[in-house]
């Protein structure tokens, strides 16, 4: 049972992925209707869903996806033109499939609800009515026949009728070898109905040279029968050596082959079937044809000593098989191959297991530190070497373990294509989504939690940001608006930007609203940045009227809270009339970081190493320290500084009285740089981040805790909050605004 | 670890009446004995190093490392609006599991000494008097009569309410901010405070 449960899990995950693929494909098709690869992707997704749903007995899903699949099949064969409307319906179909699967899985063996059923029927009706204007099926497959039956008028019959088309070219020695063409044709007549027969004698020499023992005959036969190709070929078995036989199946057969190909499941070993085998298995080829074609391939290869021609091409050239069938088989083969390759490169692992590994690695890091401490304490120089080596290994293991959980953000980004498209349609706006930096990696646990805030920001950009086309044109901007999603790494953080080229925000309006709602008082002086960040306060929305997308004034505060929970920050910048950019900064991982340990007033603190620019000894004599405004002159650069001891312990001591030199740790976050004054530097420390818990949720300046080698707890500094505090002009109460 | 008498003393009156008992862990805070329901107690540990957390009110003593987890420690004495506890050889941390919005979190309570586990008959548990204590009434669950004495049974979930702890802390930290932000003018005050 649990196995089945696990299988179901994989099924749901897989269908989700497939549906996402389908959506991506459809959205690509919207721009580029002839993208064959996308058409195939979409089709394959639907087809696989149908297949696997069948495995799990989800009949309703199978029934629905079958309908969709057949329409997609038509598209794939060019029988049905892709247009915006059809894509909309197909997108809805994708959604419906998702909800069907969800429903079926949660309500086992129950009937569908009326609404679900009604939606399904409505969608199928729409689909069939749109795709109903098919071109006649014949157009699709006729190419192959055109070639094969070059000179004949009967070719047209053969296309329309459900007949086999057989050409027999007897070799010159046929009669001498005792082959009687007539007897074969007679026998053929017994196995089915010969609708029409034409006799050709293209090689017939002038009468003088005519040799009665030589066979000059060729036949074209239109044959109606329920036999399979191999069975028909068997009729001519004895003539094989003296006759070139081509058997071209009727249209219905070709379709049957195509269907067979589609339905044929790759065998359990996941081996790649050979093209020939595949075609023989479905009956599109006879064994002999394959052998001949292979021989031909060899022959070409030997003779011209070049790269062997693909078997598929030879088969088509020799007219053993039809172009669409071969193409389909190749596609199938490719699909299996892709899958095998993908399967061999990836292992699906429960993310909880990864989490456990990372936790254990965290504990290992702490024990490693404890061991090093003991080695140092007892001065075990011979052990030290081992300890150092082990420490290096541990930190490598740590990095690898963390990388396991890293995923590219691109997948998250591309999900928004759909939202942008749908919202754009709903609001009658033309919007393009530009994605860059999709390959930027970050922790999967972070990715999952960033989805909601991002959705919100994008909806905001679409709704508030981008104007209607008319307005845009009037404002001298292109009618099509652009939303730009960007990601990149910056000093241990990932930066995600959501930018639009829309109307932008009016800072006066925000300030007025904030004043009206009592979020700020009139005497406060706020920087432009601070005013824009007011937008993240609860209850502030500049949109006059709420709609179902955004504008109710809830949300931006939730966005900020969610991001802060991830130890990240969010900032908004805007130029009125030009657009808005929201910048999110997140730590790359929530588990283990490289830290730098400092000490002040007897307490040890960890600073994330990635945020440290440099460490220098504080030289009070050389640097002009402005202790009122807290600025120092570091090599000609004006740098705000903060005494950690003062900040944390509400006490004012000065380095001079301590009698020892203090150190300055220069940290940076984004553009801002600040010097932190500490008593002592302890060096690098692998830091396992432990949450401080809800009691300390509101604590400023501390982002978490870690356990040191001696079992004590040290606090991790929230550098960004400290920078904000240090940079803020002293003497205003502006910082109370931050919360 | 401190050995606790698992079989607590039963008072004579309770034995006579023969009704149901509740077990309470009693401990010393300052000079007073308090009790909390034994079911709330997860573990009692000796004090190792407590790491101070800056910018928090007095009653947040700091955090400790409990087998790899960081656990906050509340100074019960300070939380009951008395003086901060001095740490002695007898001081202990009582670890208590608190329910926070459906998730349980462990919080340590610093006490001066752990006494014993008492069985108190339900008939001997009486409602909180409206007067006569210096402790916030909502921190008291009930009064338990043991022989001729009364023990205050604490409403530990109220005392360690995460919502309140984190709220108060916010107030405290913004005070600290205000004080700091005007550092130059506050210099004297701080120097004074340093002296005692």
């Amino acid at each position: 049972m649990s196995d089945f449960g696990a299988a179901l899990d994989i099924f749901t995950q897989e269908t989700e992925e497939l549906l996402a693929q389908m959506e991506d494909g459809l959205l690509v098709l919207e721009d580029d209707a002839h993208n064959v690869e996308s058409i195939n992707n979409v089709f394959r997704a639907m087809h696989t869903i149908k297949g696997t749903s069948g495995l799990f007995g989800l009949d309703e899903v199978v029934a629905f996806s079958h309908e969709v699949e057949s329409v997609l099949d038509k598209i794939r064969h060019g029988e049905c033109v892709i247009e915006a409307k059809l894509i909309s319906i197909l997108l809805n179909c994708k959604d419906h499939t998702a909800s069907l699967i969800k429903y079926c899985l949660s309500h086992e063996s129950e009937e569908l609800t009326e609404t679900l059923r009604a939606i399904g029927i409505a969608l199928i009706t729409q689909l069939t009515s749109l795709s109903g204007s098919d071109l006649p099926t014949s157009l699709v497959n006729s190419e192959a026949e055109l070639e094969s039956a070059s000179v004949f008028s009967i070719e047209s019959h053969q296309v329309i009728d459900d007949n086999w088309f057989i050409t027999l070219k007897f070799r010159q020695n046929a009669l001498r070898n005792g082959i009687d063409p007539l007897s074969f044709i007679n026998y053929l007549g017994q196995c089915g109905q010969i609708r029409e027969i034409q006799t050709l004698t293209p090689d017939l020499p002038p009468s003088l040279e005519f040799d009665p023992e030589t066979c000059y005959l060729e036949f074209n036969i239109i044959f109606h029968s329920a036999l399979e190709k191999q069975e028909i070929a068997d009729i001519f078995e004895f003539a094989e050596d003296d006759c070139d036989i081509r058997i071209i199946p009727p249209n219905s057969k070709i379709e049957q082959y195509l269907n067979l190909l589609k339905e044929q499941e790759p065998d359990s070993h996941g081996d790649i079937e050979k093209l020939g085998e595949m075609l023989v298995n479905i009956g599109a080829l006879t064994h002999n044809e394959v052998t001949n074609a292979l021989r031909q391939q060899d022959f070409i290869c030997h003779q011209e000593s070049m790269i062997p021609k693909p078997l598929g091409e030879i088969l088509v050239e020799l007219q053993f098989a039809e172009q669409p069938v071969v193409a389909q088989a190749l596609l199938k083969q490719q699909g299996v191959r892709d899958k095998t390759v993908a399967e061999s490169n990836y292992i699906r692992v429960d993310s909880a297991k990864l989490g456990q590994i990372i936790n254990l690695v965290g504990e290992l890091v702490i024990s490693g530190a404890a061991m090093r401490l003991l080695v140092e304490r007892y001065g075990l120089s011979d052990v030290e070497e081992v300890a150092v080596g082990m420490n290096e290994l541990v930190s490598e293991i740590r990095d690898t373990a963390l990388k396991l959980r890293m995923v590219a953000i691109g997948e998250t980004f591309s999900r928004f294509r759909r939202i942008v498209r749908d919202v754009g349609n709903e609001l009658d706006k033309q919007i393009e989504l530009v994605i860059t930096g999709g390959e930027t990696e970050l922790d999967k646990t972070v990715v999952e939690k960033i989805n909601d805030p991002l959705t919100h920001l994008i909806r905001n950009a679409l709704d508030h940001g981008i104007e209607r086309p008319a307005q845009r044109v009037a404002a001298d901007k292109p009618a099509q608006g652009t939303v730009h999603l960007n990601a990149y790494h910056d000093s241990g953080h990932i930066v995600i930007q959501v930018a639009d080229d829309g109307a932008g925000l009016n800072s006066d309006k925000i300030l007025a609203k904030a004043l009206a709602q009592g979020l700020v008082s009139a005497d406060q002086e706020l920087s432009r940045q601070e005013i824009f960040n007011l937008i993240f306060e609860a209850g502030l929305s500049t949109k006059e009227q709420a709609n179902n997308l955004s504008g109710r004034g809830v949300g931006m505060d939730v966005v900020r809270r969610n991001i802060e929970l991830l130890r990240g920050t969010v900032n908004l910048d805007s130029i009125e009339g030009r657009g808005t950019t929201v910048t999110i900064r997140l730590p790359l991982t929530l588990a283990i970081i490289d830290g730098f340990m400092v000490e002040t007033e007897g307490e040890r603190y960890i600073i994330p190493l990635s945020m440290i620019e440099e460490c220098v000894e504080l030289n009070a004599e050389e640097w002009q320290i402005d202790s009122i405004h807290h600025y120092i002159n570091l090599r000609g650069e004006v740098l705000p500084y903060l005494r950690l001891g003062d900040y944390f312990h509400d006490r004012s001591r000065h380095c001079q009285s301590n009698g020892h030199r203090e150190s300055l740790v220069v940290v940076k976050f984004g553009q801002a740089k600040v010097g932190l004054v500490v008593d002592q530097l302890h060096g690098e420390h692998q830091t396992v981040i432990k949450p401080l818990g809800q009691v300390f949720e509101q604590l400023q300046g501390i982002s978490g805790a870690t356990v040191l080698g001696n079992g004590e707890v040290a606090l991790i500094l929230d550098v960004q909050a400290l920078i904000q505090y240090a940079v803020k002009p002293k003497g205003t109460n502006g910082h109370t605004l931050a919360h | 670890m401190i050995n606790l008498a698992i079989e607590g003393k039963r008072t004579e009156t309770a034995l006579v009446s023969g009704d149901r008992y509740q077990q309470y862990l009693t401990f010393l805070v300052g000079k007073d004995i308090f009790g909390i329901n034994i079911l709330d107690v997860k573990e009692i540990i000796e004090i190792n190093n407590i790491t101070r957390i800056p910018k928090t009110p007095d009653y947040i003593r700091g955090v400790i490392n409990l087998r790899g987890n960081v656990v906050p420690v509340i100074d019960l004495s300070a939380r009951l609006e008395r003086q901060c506890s001095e740490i002695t050889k007898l001081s202990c941390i009582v670890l208590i599991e608190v329910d926070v919005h459906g998730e349980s979190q462990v919080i340590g309570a610093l006490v001066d000494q752990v006494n014993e586990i008492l069985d108190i008959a339900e008939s001997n548990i009486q409602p909180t008097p409206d007067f006569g204590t210096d402790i916030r009434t909502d921190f008291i669950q009930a009064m338990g009569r043991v022989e001729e004495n009364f023990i205050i049974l604490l409403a530990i979930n109220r005392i360690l309410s995460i919502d309140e702890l984190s709220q108060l802390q916010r107030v405290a930290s913004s005070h600290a901010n205000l004080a700091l932000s005007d550092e130059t003018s506050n210099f004297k005050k701080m120097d004074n405070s340093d002296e005692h």
Side-chain angles (χ1 to χ4, degrees):
Chain A
M1 192 61 208
S2 66
D3 272 2
F4 186 68
L8 260 187
D9 276 349
I10 294 174
F11 167 70
T12 27
Q13 208 176 342
E14 239 177 37
T15 42
E16 258 170 45
E17 279 166 22
L18 284 168
L19 287 172
Q21 263 176 32
M22 178 173 171
E23 190 174 288
D24 286 351
L26 284 171
L27 293 171
V28 170
L29 284 177
E30 198 166 41
D31 297 332
D32 176 11
H34 300 291
N35 191 322
V36 182
E37 200 186 323
S38 298
I39 297 176
N40 286 333
N41 275 343
V42 172
F43 175 81
R44 216 177 295 151
M46 217 3 118
H47 177 70
T48 315
I49 289 173
K50 184 178 96 171
T52 41
S53 302
L55 272 177
F56 287 94
L58 309 176
D59 296 338
E60 299 288 352
V61 181
V62 176
F64 180 74
S65 48
H66 177 75
E67 297 296 332
V68 182
E69 187 196 355
S70 20
V71 173
L72 288 171
D73 195 33
K74 281 186 187 169
I75 296 175
R76 203 162 56 124
H77 288 124
E79 294 166 36
C80 176
V81 188
I82 298 173
E83 39 160 5
K85 211 172 155 197
L86 185 60
I87 287 181
S88 288
I89 297 170
L90 283 171
L91 280 172
N92 290 335
C93 287
K94 176 240 143 190
D95 291 346
H96 184 64
T97 314
S99 41
L100 270 182
I101 291 173
K102 210 170 147 196
Y103 183 86
C104 289
L105 286 180
S106 56
H107 304 76
E108 255 180 90
S109 68
E110 265 179 51
E111 287 289 299
L112 282 189
T113 56
E114 278 306 310
T115 27
L116 272 179
R117 195 177 292 281
I119 293 172
I121 291 168
L123 282 172
I124 290 171
T125 331
Q126 281 175 319
L127 266 185
T128 35
S129 68
L130 264 184
S131 62
S133 53
D134 329 355
L135 308 165
T137 28
S138 51
L139 269 180
V140 188
N141 296 327
S142 53
E143 269 178 50
E145 279 88 353
L146 271 175
E147 282 173 47
S148 65
S150 39
V151 275
F152 290 120
S153 57
I154 45 172
E155 148 208 352
S156 55
H157 289 258
Q158 168 234 344
V159 168
I160 294 159
D161 294 343
D162 201 12
N163 293 335
W164 293 87
F165 181 72
I166 304 168
T167 55
L168 302 172
K169 283 187 191 163
F170 286 94
R171 298 206 185 113
Q172 303 207 331
N173 284 335
L175 295 175
R176 281 184 212 111
N177 289 342
I179 302 292
D180 179 5
L182 187 64
S183 63
F184 287 107
I185 292 166
N186 277 341
Y187 183 50
L188 190 67
Q190 288 168 23
C191 300
Q193 196 187 350
I194 296 175
R195 290 269 164 88
E196 215 167 323
I197 187 161
Q198 275 199 345
T199 312
L200 295 174
T201 51
D203 297 331
L204 196 65
S207 50
L208 277 178
E209 292 167 31
F210 181 81
D211 175 4
E213 282 187 9
T214 306
C215 182
Y216 300 106
L217 285 174
E218 288 181 19
F219 299 96
N220 286 318
I221 304 162
I222 292 176
F223 179 60
H224 184 81
S225 166
L227 292 182
E228 287 299 322
K229 192 172 182 181
Q230 183 70 51
E231 290 170 304
I232 296 175
D234 286 345
I235 295 172
F236 302 103
E237 198 183 344
F238 296 112
E240 260 162 21
D241 294 336
D242 300 296
C243 179
D244 291 327
I245 308 160
R246 264 180 237 149
I247 304 165
I248 293 160
N251 277 336
S252 62
K253 276 283 173 198
I254 293 183
E255 242 156 60
Q256 192 190 332
Y257 293 154
L258 289 174
N259 283 332
L260 278 172
L261 268 179
K262 272 179 244 155
E263 275 152 31
Q264 200 185 24
E265 286 300 323
D267 55 18
S268 49
H269 309 299
D271 292 339
I272 298 163
E273 244 185 317
K274 288 188 181 129
L275 180 68
E277 282 174 21
M278 212 155 42
L279 292 173
V280 171
N281 278 349
I282 59 161
L285 276 187
T286 63
H287 285 290
N288 262 318
E289 284 171 332
V290 176
T291 329
N292 283 340
L294 285 173
R295 208 176 294 148
Q296 179 85 9
Q297 194 179 23
D298 267 1
F299 178 68
I300 296 173
C301 195
H302 278 297
Q303 198 181 35
E304 305 176 24
S305 66
M306 54 180 212
I307 316 142
K309 230 177 183 178
L311 183 65
E313 271 179 41
I314 296 174
L315 286 174
V316 175
E317 254 171 42
L318 294 175
Q319 296 177 17
F320 287 159
E322 293 63 38
Q323 176 65 36
V325 178
V326 172
Q328 169 73 25
L330 284 172
L331 198 74
K332 172 96 184 177
Q333 205 180 22
Q334 190 59 41
V336 174
R337 194 175 290 153
D338 286 351
K339 221 173 147 190
T340 341
V341 169
E343 271 170 7
S344 58
N345 280 348
Y346 294 101
I347 308 172
R348 272 180 204 278
V349 182
D350 187 353
S351 59
K353 282 186 192 162
L354 284 184
Q356 205 183 348
I357 277 213
I358 287 167
N359 281 343
L360 286 174
V361 170
E363 297 306 316
L364 186 65
V365 166
I366 293 173
S367 323
M371 192 184 72
R372 231 176 49 175
L373 212 71
L374 288 178
V375 169
E376 271 168 35
R377 186 184 302 164
Y378 296 110
L380 308 167
S381 53
D382 44 347
V383 183
E384 194 176 332
E385 209 172 301
V386 183
V388 167
M390 204 188 83
N391 232 44
E392 267 167 28
L393 284 177
V394 167
S395 68
E396 255 177 62
I397 290 177
R398 178 201 68 168
D399 289 347
T400 324
L402 285 177
K403 262 187 213 139
L404 288 179
R405 257 201 334 206
M406 293 296 221
V407 291
I409 198 168
E411 202 183 314
T412 314
F413 276 0
S414 50
R415 278 187 205 158
F416 293 116
R417 286 192 189 283
R418 175 74 185 278
I419 291 173
V420 170
R421 178 192 175 280
D422 286 0
V423 172
N425 284 351
E426 192 178 324
L427 297 173
D428 266 336
K429 294 177 181 174
Q430 298 167 19
I431 301 163
E432 189 195 5
L433 180 70
V434 178
I435 292 175
T436 49
E439 72 287 345
T440 316
E441 287 191 327
L442 77 166
D443 199 304
K444 186 163 168 34
T445 47
V446 182
V447 171
E448 281 160 7
K449 287 174 187 148
I450 196 65
N451 210 6
D452 281 356
L454 270 185
T455 313
H456 197 91
L457 290 175
I458 287 172
R459 279 180 180 273
N460 263 335
L462 299 175
D463 189 29
H464 300 234
I466 309 274
E467 316 91 324
R468 279 170 209 293
Q471 272 169 285
R472 290 183 65 88
V473 172
D476 245 4
K477 290 199 262 192
Q480 190 182 43
T482 308
V483 174
H484 187 174
L485 270 174
N486 186 24
Y488 58 92
H489 281 159
D490 179 36
S491 54
H493 285 69
I494 181 169
V495 180
I496 302 170
Q497 284 179 318
V498 182
D500 65 68
D501 64 346
L505 290 168
N506 182 327
S507 57
D508 297 339
K509 227 165 145 189
I510 296 171
L511 192 59
K513 197 105 178 194
L515 280 171
Q517 297 186 356
L519 290 169
V520 289
S521 55
D523 56 343
Q524 277 174 340
E525 271 181 46
L526 297 172
S527 68
R528 203 174 122 256
Q529 185 66 56
E530 280 171 328
I531 294 174
F532 282 130
N533 282 346
L534 281 173
I535 212 105
F536 295 107
E537 296 294 326
L540 195 105
S541 171
T542 47
K543 183 100 177 173
E544 311 299 329
Q545 265 191 331
N547 60 12
N548 64 346
L549 285 172
S550 53
R552 285 192 209 86
V554 286
M556 285 305 250
D557 59 319
V558 179
V559 167
R560 184 171 72 179
R561 210 178 53 223
N562 284 344
I563 289 169
E564 282 179 351
L565 280 180
L566 297 169
R567 298 191 296 119
T569 57
V570 55
N571 269 305
L572 185 141
D573 198 9
S574 180
I575 299 172
E576 197 177 5
R578 299 274 295 280
T580 308
T581 304
V582 181
T583 308
I584 300 172
R585 288 174 155 271
L586 291 168
L588 278 184
T589 163
L590 300 177
I592 310 175
I593 56 167
D594 273 318
F596 188 84
M597 188 151 57
V598 298
E599 187 175 326
T600 191
E601 311 238 331
E603 296 285 345
R604 293 180 175 205
Y605 297 100
I606 305 280
I607 303 171
L609 192 63
S610 55
M611 304 175 100
I612 296 182
E613 279 267 293
E614 60 175 327
C615 299
V616 281
E617 228 173 58
L618 189 68
N619 193 332
E621 285 83 43
E622 277 176 37
W623 304 341
Q624 301 109 21
I625 296 183
D626 180 347
S627 57
I628 295 168
H629 296 105
H630 286 91
Y631 281 103
I632 53 169
N633 180 349
L634 176 65
R635 294 188 293 270
E637 195 183 341
V638 176
L639 188 74
Y641 77 93
L642 182 73
R643 270 175 206 286
L644 265 195
D646 292 355
Y647 178 75
F648 281 139
H649 303 293
D650 290 4
R651 239 171 286 154
S652 268
R653 254 192 255 159
H654 288 280
C655 54
Q656 288 90 343
S657 60
N658 278 356
H660 76 89
R661 282 254 177 106
E662 290 175 306
S663 296
L664 184 78
V665 181
V666 181
V667 292
K668 71 156 192 190
F669 183 79
Q671 303 299 320
K673 259 204 242 175
V674 164
L676 299 176
V677 180
V678 299
D679 289 346
Q680 227 181 319
L681 304 176
H682 284 288
E684 286 184 32
H685 186 267
Q686 291 188 43
T687 307
V688 182
I689 301 175
K690 308 263 181 184
L692 267 177
Q694 281 158 311
V695 175
F696 303 107
E697 222 166 55
Q698 314 275 355
L699 192 62
Q700 286 175 34
I702 300 289
S703 66
T706 187
V707 176
L708 302 178
N710 60 8
E712 276 180 47
V713 178
L715 300 175
I716 301 169
L717 297 182
D718 181 354
V719 170
Q720 174 239 336
L722 292 176
I723 288 178
Q724 252 176 27
Y725 175 79
V727 171
K728 199 142 291 181
K730 306 288 180 287
T732 68
N733 52 356
H735 60 267
T736 47
L737 253 179
H739 275 275
Chain B
M1 278 287 182
I2 285 179
N3 282 326
L4 288 170
I6 293 177
E7 283 299 312
K9 291 180 201 162
R10 288 181 181 175
T11 56
E12 277 166 35
T13 38
L15 280 174
V16 173
S17 64
D19 57 4
R20 294 165 63 186
Y21 299 97
Q22 294 270 358
Q23 288 193 313
Y24 288 88
L25 175 77
T26 60
F27 49 79
L28 216 59
V29 173
K31 286 178 181 137
D32 298 320
I33 297 177
F34 295 96
I36 54 173
N37 197 320
I38 195 79
L39 296 177
D40 291 326
V41 178
K42 194 168 178 274
E43 194 175 344
I44 300 166
I45 57 168
E46 283 177 34
I47 294 179
N48 272 318
N49 271 309
I50 301 180
T51 304
R52 283 185 295 161
I53 304 277
K55 292 169 152 312
T56 49
D58 289 341
Y59 58 75
I60 293 186
R61 196 72 187 214
V63 287
I64 53 163
N65 164 23
L66 177 71
R67 293 183 293 274
N69 290 314
V70 176
V71 172
V73 176
I74 307 297
D75 185 329
L76 214 51
S77 175
R79 182 74 174 125
L80 298 173
E81 287 156 34
R82 301 167 178 205
Q83 290 213 321
C84 287
S85 295
E86 292 274 324
I87 290 182
T88 66
K89 275 188 177 172
L90 292 172
S91 300
C92 278
I93 295 171
V94 180
L95 294 171
I96 291 155
E97 219 163 42
V98 184
D99 199 51
V100 197
H101 311 302
E103 282 173 55
S104 78
Q105 185 171 359
V106 176
I107 295 184
L110 177 71
V111 300
D112 290 326
Q113 186 186 327
V114 170
N115 289 354
E116 58 188 342
I117 295 170
L118 287 181
D119 285 355
I120 302 179
E122 277 177 3
S123 60
N124 280 337
I125 293 176
Q126 291 168 15
T128 320
D130 293 335
F131 56 92
T133 64
D134 57 342
I135 296 167
R136 263 170 63 178
T137 45
D138 65 326
F139 283 176
I140 303 176
Q141 192 182 48
M143 306 294 283
R145 191 157 66 93
V146 181
E147 286 159 7
E148 294 313 309
N149 298 320
F150 276 102
I151 294 176
I152 295 173
L153 304 178
L154 294 173
I156 202 68
N157 270 314
R158 288 288 313 142
I159 294 176
L160 302 182
S161 148
I162 302 261
D163 288 338
E164 202 173 310
L165 292 182
S166 55
Q167 280 303 311
L168 281 171
Q169 178 194 327
R170 179 172 160 180
V171 175
S173 63
S174 70
H175 273 303
N177 271 349
L178 276 176
L180 254 183
S181 65
D182 229 342
E183 258 167 285
T184 39
S185 62
N186 278 351
F187 256 107
K188 266 187 187 163
K189 233 192 264 172
M190 289 178 181
D191 286 343
N192 287 343
S193 66
D194 240 5
E195 277 165 18
H196 53 252

